[in-house]
Amino acid sequence: MHAAFFLLLGGALARFLLRHPGESRTPWIIALSVVLAALYVLGPALGPGRGTRPTPRRLTWLALVVAVWVVLVVLAPSFAWCAVPLFYTGLRTLPARAALVLIGVLTVFVVAAQLRLAGNFDPNLLLAPPAVAALATAVFVHMERQAERQRALIDDLRRTRRELAATERREGTLAERQRLSMEIHDTLAQSLSSQQMLLQAADRLWDADPERARAHVRTAESVTERGLVEARRFVHDLAPADLAGGGLDEALRTLAARESEAGLAVRFHAEGTPAPLPDRVESALLRIAQGALANVREHADATAAAITLTHLGDQVVLDIADNGRGFTPEPPREGGVRGHGLPAIRARTRQLGGTLTIESAPGEGTVLSVAIPLEAP
């Protein structure tokens, strides 16, 4: 629109100079054209247009532009069509009603200038300027409404993105808290529970069988040492300490040997061709095995247990079986992701997209099986 204004102004000045050379009003026409161009260039420096209340300086500027243009049109009617860019200037500067009044005034001057140039009455010259003014106003109003809808849509999108980001942060925080809860339960809490059981057993046997009592104390000391390693690992990072020295197979083998020290014979067996597993899968399966063995030790009254890790290519299966008292499995409770023991195992399995199967009956032992799908290499 700025370019159109200067093209129309330059064209009108060239037309006047070609058709009216050497007239006494020519210097005034040239001077007023330069002043109008300078005033128009000054406009953007006076602040924003539509969307904020116009400042007195901008209103004064608009009044000067219109006044200079009116004088030019009175002196030379060929400058009349410079009014079209001024329509948009008024619409962008003034409130809607004031802008329509200004457009009406400018249109009257355009009609009068065109009739003056024609020299006689022409209906087209009477109707064309109002039609152009109406079209320019309609286009501007439509563009403003489209822009307002677009701004509202962008604001909604930004607000939705902020809310989504906040929700994701909250969900991430809750998930991390849940994971830490399960980590603490499967490591520090189980270690403290084992220490308590061993020290209680040592206390009962201290007078009757001092040697066995001391053995329980030594085992409790070993459990305490491992708990200290886990506590330090929490400070350093959240990777299972048992996985630091090798893969999952070695960690499970070490776990089986360690749990056997507490009076429960645990053996480990691996099947299939071992393959590298994602860190989160290895960590989750190790924690599941630790949690399952803790349940066996504390609740099953078993004398033997077996850990079996099976590599099947597209999935890995972990089985923990014992010869304990067994129980009647209950269906999982909705929303119970923050529990301990079996709820924690079920939550870990669900996080990895796996399935948990429990086979047990009173007096027949228990088999816990976790199958985790693997992505294709």
Side-chain angles (χ1 to χ4, degrees):
M1 196 55 59
H2 296 329
F5 174 81
F6 287 107
L7 286 174
L8 290 172
L9 182 63
L13 179 60
R15 182 179 186 276
F16 176 82
L17 293 177
L18 289 174
R19 296 197 175 189
H20 307 280
E23 292 189 6
S24 59
R25 56 178 173 164
T26 299
W28 289 103
I29 297 296
I30 296 174
L32 289 172
S33 299
V34 173
V35 170
L36 181 59
L39 286 173
Y40 194 89
V41 170
L42 184 62
L46 297 178
R50 193 173 183 84
T52 61
R53 190 170 182 175
T55 62
R57 287 195 306 171
R58 190 165 181 83
L59 291 175
T60 302
W61 166 81
L62 180 61
L64 288 174
V65 169
V66 172
V68 173
W69 174 82
V70 168
V71 174
L72 270 174
V73 172
V74 171
L75 293 176
S78 57
F79 286 88
W81 286 110
C82 292
V84 176
L86 295 182
F87 293 163
Y88 286 96
T89 302
L91 288 168
R92 290 182 59 86
T93 303
L94 300 174
R97 292 184 178 179
L100 292 178
V101 171
L102 176 63
I103 291 173
V105 173
L106 296 178
T107 304
V108 169
F109 275 92
V110 173
V111 171
Q114 295 303 306
L115 292 175
R116 180 180 167 189
L117 285 174
N120 54 11
F121 179 77
D122 186 343
N124 285 334
L125 298 180
L126 182 63
L127 298 176
V132 172
L135 179 62
T137 304
V139 170
F140 180 85
V141 171
H142 176 72
M143 290 174 60
E144 283 290 294
R145 289 176 178 174
Q146 289 290 100
E148 185 62 30
R149 283 194 289 265
Q150 186 178 17
R151 284 192 293 269
L153 181 61
I154 291 174
D155 290 341
D156 289 341
L157 178 60
R158 289 175 176 170
R159 182 170 58 255
T160 302
R161 290 179 63 182
R162 288 194 298 268
E163 293 174 353
L164 179 61
T167 300
E168 290 177 347
R169 285 194 296 271
R170 287 194 297 268
E171 291 179 351
T173 300
L174 293 176
E176 184 65 12
R177 288 178 178 175
Q178 176 189 338
R179 189 173 74 87
L180 289 176
S181 174
M182 293 187 296
E183 288 276 344
I184 293 172
H185 169 263
D186 293 342
T187 56
L188 300 181
Q190 291 177 6
S191 175
L192 293 173
S193 177
S194 299
Q195 294 173 45
Q196 182 183 32
M197 293 176 59
L198 290 167
L199 292 176
Q200 289 174 347
D203 183 62
R204 290 193 300 268
L205 296 173
W206 196 262
D207 295 327
D209 192 348
E211 189 60 33
R212 287 185 61 191
R214 291 188 182 91
H216 285 315
V217 172
R218 287 192 295 270
T219 304
E221 181 183 6
S222 177
V223 173
T224 303
E225 182 180 356
R226 291 196 300 271
L228 182 59
V229 171
E230 288 288 351
R232 288 171 176 169
R233 192 267 304 170
F234 274 120
V235 176
H236 183 265
D237 58 25
L238 294 178
D242 290 335
L243 291 174
L248 180 61
D249 290 32
E250 187 62 29
L252 291 175
R253 186 174 287 106
T254 302
L255 175 65
R258 185 169 63 228
E259 292 296 328
S260 297
E261 297 175 0
L264 175 68
V266 182
R267 60 182 180 84
F268 170 73
H269 177 66
E271 295 183 355
T273 303
L277 300 175
D279 293 342
R280 60 195 300 263
V281 173
E282 289 189 340
S283 177
L285 290 178
L286 177 58
R287 294 307 185 210
I288 288 172
Q290 290 174 335
L293 288 179
N295 288 341
V296 171
R297 185 175 59 250
E298 296 177 17
H299 307 296
D301 194 22
T303 59
I307 303 174
T308 304
L309 183 66
T310 305
H311 298 272
L312 298 177
D314 60 342
Q315 66 176 345
V316 59
V317 180
L318 175 67
D319 297 309
I320 297 97
D322 68 78
N323 63 349
R325 65 182 64 176
F327 66 101
T328 301
E330 297 181 356
R333 297 178 182 179
E334 293 294 331
V337 298
R338 273 193 168 273
H340 300 305
L342 288 178
I345 293 174
R346 186 172 288 111
R348 289 184 185 276
T349 304
R350 185 167 54 249
Q351 288 173 356
L352 294 174
T355 57
L356 170 65
T357 304
I358 302 175
E359 299 178 2
S360 183
E364 297 185 5
T366 302
V367 177
L368 182 148
S369 180
V370 175
I372 305 299
L374 302 176
E375 296 182 357

